[in-house]
PDB file of all heavy atoms in Angstrom:
ATOM      1  N   VAL A 136     107.925 135.633  95.388  1.00 95.00           N
ATOM      2  CA  VAL A 136     108.206 136.302  94.145  1.00 95.00           C
ATOM      3  C   VAL A 136     109.450 135.817  93.418  1.00 95.00           C
ATOM      4  O   VAL A 136     109.481 135.609  92.210  1.00 95.00           O
ATOM      5  CB  VAL A 136     108.313 137.850  94.409  1.00 95.00           C
ATOM      6  CG1 VAL A 136     108.756 138.591  93.123  1.00 95.00           C
ATOM      7  CG2 VAL A 136     106.996 138.412  94.909  1.00 95.00           C
ATOM      8  N   GLU A 137     110.455 135.505  94.219  1.00 96.00           N
ATOM      9  CA  GLU A 137     111.663 134.936  93.660  1.00 96.00           C
ATOM     10  C   GLU A 137     111.343 133.618  92.969  1.00 96.00           C
ATOM     11  O   GLU A 137     111.814 133.340  91.853  1.00 96.00           O
ATOM     12  CB  GLU A 137     112.630 134.624  94.818  1.00 96.00           C
ATOM     13  CG  GLU A 137     114.033 135.158  94.638  1.00 96.00           C
ATOM     14  CD  GLU A 137     114.815 134.927  95.897  1.00 96.00           C
ATOM     15  OE1 GLU A 137     115.205 133.783  96.204  1.00 96.00           O
ATOM     16  OE2 GLU A 137     114.964 135.932  96.665  1.00 96.00           O
ATOM     17  N   PHE A 138     110.547 132.808  93.641  1.00 96.00           N
ATOM     18  CA  PHE A 138     110.190 131.488  93.109  1.00 96.00           C
ATOM     19  C   PHE A 138     109.438 131.624  91.794  1.00 96.00           C
ATOM     20  O   PHE A 138     109.677 130.930  90.794  1.00 96.00           O
ATOM     21  CB  PHE A 138     109.326 130.712  94.114  1.00 96.00           C
ATOM     22  CG  PHE A 138     108.930 129.347  93.686  1.00 96.00           C
ATOM     23  CD1 PHE A 138     109.863 128.282  93.693  1.00 96.00           C
ATOM     24  CD2 PHE A 138     107.629 129.048  93.267  1.00 96.00           C
ATOM     25  CE1 PHE A 138     109.487 127.021  93.276  1.00 96.00           C
ATOM     26  CE2 PHE A 138     107.282 127.789  92.864  1.00 96.00           C
ATOM     27  CZ  PHE A 138     108.229 126.749  92.887  1.00 96.00           C
ATOM     28  N   LEU A 139     108.530 132.577  91.735  1.00 94.00           N
ATOM     29  CA  LEU A 139     107.741 132.826  90.546  1.00 94.00           C
ATOM     30  C   LEU A 139     108.659 133.163  89.368  1.00 94.00           C
ATOM     31  O   LEU A 139     108.522 132.690  88.223  1.00 94.00           O
ATOM     32  CB  LEU A 139     106.711 133.910  90.698  1.00 94.00           C
ATOM     33  CG  LEU A 139     105.515 133.568  91.584  1.00 94.00           C
ATOM     34  CD1 LEU A 139     104.577 134.790  91.697  1.00 94.00           C
ATOM     35  CD2 LEU A 139     104.731 132.369  90.997  1.00 94.00           C
ATOM     36  N   ARG A 140     109.635 134.006  89.671  1.00 95.00           N
ATOM     37  CA  ARG A 140     110.554 134.506  88.580  1.00 95.00           C
ATOM     38  C   ARG A 140     111.490 133.373  88.166  1.00 95.00           C
ATOM     39  O   ARG A 140     111.781 133.231  86.958  1.00 95.00           O
ATOM     40  CB  ARG A 140     111.330 135.708  89.025  1.00 95.00           C
ATOM     41  CG  ARG A 140     110.467 136.990  89.077  1.00 95.00           C
ATOM     42  CD  ARG A 140     111.258 138.127  89.654  1.00 95.00           C
ATOM     43  NE  ARG A 140     112.444 138.511  88.805  1.00 95.00           N
ATOM     44  CZ  ARG A 140     112.340 139.446  87.861  1.00 95.00           C
ATOM     45  NH1 ARG A 140     111.232 140.103  87.609  1.00 95.00           N
ATOM     46  NH2 ARG A 140     113.442 139.762  87.173  1.00 95.00           N
ATOM     47  N   ASP A 141     111.976 132.568  89.107  1.00 94.00           N
ATOM     48  CA  ASP A 141     112.948 131.558  88.721  1.00 94.00           C
ATOM     49  C   ASP A 141     112.308 130.290  88.156  1.00 94.00           C
ATOM     50  O   ASP A 141     112.824 129.709  87.238  1.00 94.00           O
ATOM     51  CB  ASP A 141     113.783 131.141  89.976  1.00 94.00           C
ATOM     52  CG  ASP A 141     114.675 132.252  90.456  1.00 94.00           C
ATOM     53  OD1 ASP A 141     114.863 133.238  89.653  1.00 94.00           O
ATOM     54  OD2 ASP A 141     115.135 132.227  91.578  1.00 94.00           O
ATOM     55  N   VAL A 142     111.191 129.904  88.749  1.00 95.00           N
ATOM     56  CA  VAL A 142     110.582 128.629  88.374  1.00 95.00           C
ATOM     57  C   VAL A 142     109.282 128.828  87.662  1.00 95.00           C
ATOM     58  O   VAL A 142     109.043 128.183  86.651  1.00 95.00           O
ATOM     59  CB  VAL A 142     110.346 127.783  89.695  1.00 95.00           C
ATOM     60  CG1 VAL A 142     109.653 126.508  89.361  1.00 95.00           C
ATOM     61  CG2 VAL A 142     111.649 127.528  90.406  1.00 95.00           C
ATOM     62  N   GLY A 143     108.428 129.696  88.185  1.00 94.00           N
ATOM     63  CA  GLY A 143     107.103 129.874  87.656  1.00 94.00           C
ATOM     64  C   GLY A 143     107.086 130.246  86.176  1.00 94.00           C
ATOM     65  O   GLY A 143     106.190 129.813  85.434  1.00 94.00           O
ATOM     66  N   ARG A 144     108.044 130.972  85.740  1.00 94.00           N
ATOM     67  CA  ARG A 144     108.097 131.465  84.378  1.00 94.00           C
ATOM     68  C   ARG A 144     108.255 130.320  83.356  1.00 94.00           C
ATOM     69  O   ARG A 144     107.971 130.475  82.199  1.00 94.00           O
ATOM     70  CB  ARG A 144     109.147 132.531  84.154  1.00 94.00           C
ATOM     71  CG  ARG A 144     110.586 132.005  84.249  1.00 94.00           C
ATOM     72  CD  ARG A 144     111.550 133.164  84.342  1.00 94.00           C
ATOM     73  NE  ARG A 144     112.901 132.680  84.566  1.00 94.00           N
ATOM     74  CZ  ARG A 144     113.788 132.513  83.562  1.00 94.00           C
ATOM     75  NH1 ARG A 144     113.467 132.715  82.301  1.00 94.00           N
ATOM     76  NH2 ARG A 144     115.016 132.111  83.894  1.00 94.00           N
ATOM     77  N   HIS A 145     108.724 129.177  83.837  1.00 95.00           N
ATOM     78  CA  HIS A 145     108.890 128.025  82.930  1.00 95.00           C
ATOM     79  C   HIS A 145     107.636 127.232  82.701  1.00 95.00           C
ATOM     80  O   HIS A 145     107.614 126.313  81.891  1.00 95.00           O
ATOM     81  CB  HIS A 145     109.982 127.078  83.492  1.00 95.00           C
ATOM     82  CG  HIS A 145     111.344 127.701  83.523  1.00 95.00           C
ATOM     83  ND1 HIS A 145     112.002 128.142  82.411  1.00 95.00           N
ATOM     84  CD2 HIS A 145     112.122 128.043  84.589  1.00 95.00           C
ATOM     85  CE1 HIS A 145     113.174 128.645  82.784  1.00 95.00           C
ATOM     86  NE2 HIS A 145     113.252 128.636  84.100  1.00 95.00           N
ATOM     87  N   PHE A 146     106.573 127.582  83.447  1.00 93.00           N
ATOM     88  CA  PHE A 146     105.362 126.796  83.309  1.00 93.00           C
ATOM     89  C   PHE A 146     104.338 127.536  82.481  1.00 93.00           C
ATOM     90  O   PHE A 146     104.081 128.701  82.658  1.00 93.00           O
ATOM     91  CB  PHE A 146     104.764 126.491  84.675  1.00 93.00           C
ATOM     92  CG  PHE A 146     105.518 125.432  85.414  1.00 93.00           C
ATOM     93  CD1 PHE A 146     106.644 125.763  86.172  1.00 93.00           C
ATOM     94  CD2 PHE A 146     105.121 124.104  85.387  1.00 93.00           C
ATOM     95  CE1 PHE A 146     107.373 124.802  86.838  1.00 93.00           C
ATOM     96  CE2 PHE A 146     105.848 123.116  86.041  1.00 93.00           C
ATOM     97  CZ  PHE A 146     106.978 123.471  86.785  1.00 93.00           C
ATOM     98  N   SER A 147     103.747 126.770  81.562  1.00 88.00           N
ATOM     99  CA  SER A 147     102.670 127.322  80.727  1.00 88.00           C
ATOM    100  C   SER A 147     101.339 126.873  81.315  1.00 88.00           C
ATOM    101  O   SER A 147     101.067 125.693  81.429  1.00 88.00           O
ATOM    102  CB  SER A 147     102.816 126.775  79.282  1.00 88.00           C
ATOM    103  OG  SER A 147     101.534 126.726  78.699  1.00 88.00           O
ATOM    104  N   VAL A 148     100.502 127.820  81.639  1.00 83.00           N
ATOM    105  CA  VAL A 148      99.225 127.500  82.253  1.00 83.00           C
ATOM    106  C   VAL A 148      98.389 126.769  81.205  1.00 83.00           C
ATOM    107  O   VAL A 148      97.662 125.807  81.510  1.00 83.00           O
ATOM    108  CB  VAL A 148      98.465 128.792  82.728  1.00 83.00           C
ATOM    109  CG1 VAL A 148      97.030 128.473  83.067  1.00 83.00           C
ATOM    110  CG2 VAL A 148      99.192 129.372  83.918  1.00 83.00           C
ATOM    111  N   ASN A 149      98.535 127.181  79.963  1.00 80.00           N
ATOM    112  CA  ASN A 149      97.763 126.491  78.869  1.00 80.00           C
ATOM    113  C   ASN A 149      98.066 124.995  78.905  1.00 80.00           C
ATOM    114  O   ASN A 149      97.194 124.181  78.826  1.00 80.00           O
ATOM    115  CB  ASN A 149      98.213 127.036  77.494  1.00 80.00           C
ATOM    116  CG  ASN A 149      98.256 128.553  77.495  1.00 80.00           C
ATOM    117  OD1 ASN A 149      98.743 129.167  78.395  1.00 80.00           O
ATOM    118  ND2 ASN A 149      97.733 129.136  76.422  1.00 80.00           N
ATOM    119  N   ARG A 150      99.328 124.691  79.074  1.00 85.00           N
ATOM    120  CA  ARG A 150      99.740 123.291  79.028  1.00 85.00           C
ATOM    121  C   ARG A 150      99.258 122.573  80.293  1.00 85.00           C
ATOM    122  O   ARG A 150      98.778 121.451  80.213  1.00 85.00           O
ATOM    123  CB  ARG A 150     101.265 123.235  78.885  1.00 85.00           C
ATOM    124  CG  ARG A 150     101.812 121.836  78.845  1.00 85.00           C
ATOM    125  CD  ARG A 150     103.230 121.833  78.287  1.00 85.00           C
ATOM    126  NE  ARG A 150     104.044 120.758  78.796  1.00 85.00           N
ATOM    127  CZ  ARG A 150     103.827 119.446  78.512  1.00 85.00           C
ATOM    128  NH1 ARG A 150     102.860 119.112  77.752  1.00 85.00           N
ATOM    129  NH2 ARG A 150     104.620 118.536  78.992  1.00 85.00           N
ATOM    130  N   MET A 151      99.387 123.241  81.395  1.00 85.00           N
ATOM    131  CA  MET A 151      98.986 122.637  82.642  1.00 85.00           C
ATOM    132  C   MET A 151      97.487 122.249  82.603  1.00 85.00           C
ATOM    133  O   MET A 151      97.037 121.251  83.122  1.00 85.00           O
ATOM    134  CB  MET A 151      99.284 123.502  83.858  1.00 85.00           C
ATOM    135  CG  MET A 151     100.776 123.589  84.189  1.00 85.00           C
ATOM    136  SD  MET A 151     101.014 124.148  85.859  1.00 85.00           S
ATOM    137  CE  MET A 151     100.694 125.874  85.714  1.00 85.00           C
TER     138      MET A 151
END
Side-chain angles (χ1 to χ4, degrees):
Chain A
V136 174
E137 229 173 77
F138 182 74
L139 288 179
R140 286 175 64 93
D141 293 344
V142 177
R144 68 192 173 96
H145 295 296
F146 286 84
S147 151
V148 170
N149 313 42
R150 180 161 151 70
M151 287 199 285

